[in-house]
Amino acid sequence: ATKLCTGLGHAGHFDEAEKHGRRAGEAYAAVGDRRMVTGMKINVAVMLGEKGDLDGKATLLRQAARDAEAGGFDSFLANALNNLGVLYCEQGDYSRGVQYLDRATQLAARIAPDDHTRMAMFHTNLGAIYLYLGSTRQALAEDTKAETEARAAGDESILMGIRSNRAELYSRTGDY
């Protein structure tokens, strides 16, 4: 069900993906799998965000973060915190967003240091926010960490994003 939900989302069928995600969450709840219920809340929250329902997204992500913390589901907690951090930044609450992104990155580094793709994405998110805030040195430091992780993962798409962030940094500041 998780793959179907995310697969439909990538294909642009967000209403359908949300429906399947909610059904999957209900099915996991019926068999008592709180971990997967938490994961499905994050998936559905992402779909809500793609549909423009930022309040619904925030509500589900906060629920998922609380559930993940209570259940010891650290991997899902890191994902929920990362998504909340990005959401807060999109809503203009940058200091709160950075706090959530930093906590998510630290947690992911502790629980899954070899998940290079995830670490690259989390560092990229932090770097982009620091760039937006005008913290050039911090943005470059996060981009460097992201690049190291993306190279370890062999993920060219993330490397392209990092290059784009650096180009943006250079165009704004002349600093590289």
Side-chain angles (χ1 to χ4, degrees):
T2 303
K3 289 188 188 292
L4 176 62
C5 178
T6 55
L8 289 170
H10 290 297
H13 303 284
F14 299 117
D15 289 330
E16 213 174 319
E18 177 193 351
K19 180 177 72 175
H20 286 289
R22 289 186 187 278
R23 283 186 186 156
E26 291 166 5
Y28 287 126
V31 297
D33 190 340
R34 291 185 5 210
R35 182 181 162 282
M36 288 305 297
V37 169
T38 302
M40 293 314 301
K41 284 181 183 177
I42 296 168
N43 284 350
V44 171
V46 170
M47 295 307 134
L48 291 174
E50 292 297 328
K51 291 170 45 176
D53 182 359
L54 299 184
D55 291 334
K57 177 180 182 175
T59 298
L60 271 180
L61 287 173
R62 283 192 291 270
Q63 287 175 2
R66 282 191 302 271
D67 294 350
E69 203 153 31
F73 314 134
D74 288 343
S75 182
F76 285 136
L77 178 59
N79 288 348
L81 294 172
N82 181 68
N83 278 288
L84 276 166
V86 170
L87 178 64
Y88 289 134
C89 290
E90 288 172 349
Q91 294 176 331
D93 191 349
Y94 300 104
S95 61
R96 191 174 188 190
V98 167
Q99 290 172 356
Y100 276 77
L101 288 168
D102 191 49
R103 184 173 171 212
T105 303
Q106 289 177 21
L107 179 59
R110 184 174 54 79
I111 63 168
D114 293 332
D115 187 346
H116 300 293
T117 298
R118 176 195 247 179
M119 293 306 303
M121 292 185 322
F122 283 18
H123 284 296
T124 298
N125 288 344
L126 266 172
I129 298 310
Y130 283 132
L131 170 62
Y132 184 81
L133 293 173
S135 301
T136 304
R137 297 288 172 236
Q138 288 175 296
L140 284 170
E142 292 301 327
D143 282 350
T144 299
K145 293 173 191 174
E147 183 176 11
T148 299
E149 295 290 348
R151 287 190 190 288
D155 194 320
E156 283 298 318
S157 65
I158 294 175
L159 284 168
M160 289 177 67
I162 295 165
R163 289 182 195 113
S164 175
N165 289 351
R166 284 194 177 146
E168 175 68 19
L169 179 97
Y170 185 74
S171 73
R172 283 188 186 189
T173 66
D175 201 356
Y176 204 84

